[in-house]
Amino acid sequence: MDTLRLVKISKFLSKHLRHQPDRIGIKLAPGGWVVVDELLIACANHQFPISHGELQQVVATSDKKRFSFDATGTLIRANQGHSVEVDLQLQPVVPPDVLYHGTGSKAVESIMQTGLQKMSRHHVHLSQDIATAQIVGARHGKAVVFAVDAAAMHQAGYSFYCSDNGVWLVELVPPGYLQTI
Ligand code: HQG
């Protein structure tokens, strides 16, 4: 499959598994799961037929492991990034001492005042390495990377979650735990 088709399918799946399942008449079960066969029928019914093979290839090759099948391969979900109400059933885990968040330079002042907010997503997204944070930040203009004192936040009682694709998630990062690097 060519890259263009791959990206197109990935975007279509992101849109409907994270943001607008209603648009193609699917419902996310707890955990964000959708029956694969139902998804493929819904896609075909909405002028976007995807073969089972293509779906498997997109899940396997997505640069950020955006989607997962369950153990049986009959269910699929987006690993994170939802804006619709969904309980991903993630378990809180002890975070690494330091995590990183990349943003655009224009947002820095506001973030220093009100902290990192989840905006339209369910959580604030953090990464374990600076390079990833830089790439995420560059999506918003000139990238600025914050170091997050996750150890202190954990100590203070904040819950951290790690999605299937290694993105760290937290409800909020107050300004006191942030430092630009
Ligand atoms: C900023 C992509 C002003 C925040 C990426 C960010 C990631 C504030 C933007 C994933 C703020 C929200 C998530 C405040 C936060 N004042 N700006 N108080 N608090 N912000 O896209 O973290 O392609 O919702 O810094 O690779 O950029 O979707 O979050 O710049 O993994 O798979 O508000 O999305 O992955 O932007 O990106 P986003 P994000 P996917």
Side-chain angles (χ1 to χ4, degrees), residues 18 64 66 80 101-104 107 110-111 114-121 125 136 139-140 167:
R18 288 170 164 182
K64 290 200 275 183
R66 288 190 177 88
Q80 34 72 215
H101 177 90
T103 191
S110 158
I111 290 170
T114 58
L116 284 173
Q117 313 261 350
K118 52 192 178 174
M119 311 307 263
S120 63
R121 306 201 188 232
H125 289 216
V136 174
R139 290 160 53 251
H140 301 282
V167 174

Side-chain angles (χ1 to χ4, degrees), residues 77-107:
R77 74 168 172 191
N79 287 324
Q80 34 72 215
H82 300 79
S83 59
V84 285
E85 204 45 62
V86 61
D87 175 9
L88 287 179
Q89 301 177 318
L90 298 170
Q91 296 301 316
V93 271
V94 179
D97 288 351
V98 182
L99 286 166
Y100 301 94
H101 177 90
T103 191
S105 56
K106 288 198 189 96

Side-chain angles (χ1 to χ4, degrees), residues 16-80:
H16 298 103
L17 293 178
R18 288 170 164 182
H19 307 299
Q20 294 181 48
D22 290 355
R23 195 181 162 271
I24 56 168
I26 55 171
K27 279 211 167 17
L28 307 189
W33 298 107
V34 173
V35 177
V36 170
D37 290 337
E38 287 176 17
L39 173 69
L40 294 181
I41 290 168
C43 292
N45 283 340
H46 289 80
Q47 290 74 49
F48 200 93
I50 303 170
S51 74
H52 202 272
E54 284 180 319
L55 189 68
Q56 276 173 325
Q57 211 178 325
V58 169
V59 172
T61 60
S62 162
D63 52 350
K64 290 200 275 183
K65 283 193 65 202
R66 288 190 177 88
F67 316 101
S68 292
F69 292 116
D70 72 333
T72 65
T74 55
L75 304 178
I76 185 170
R77 74 168 172 191
N79 287 324
Q80 34 72 215

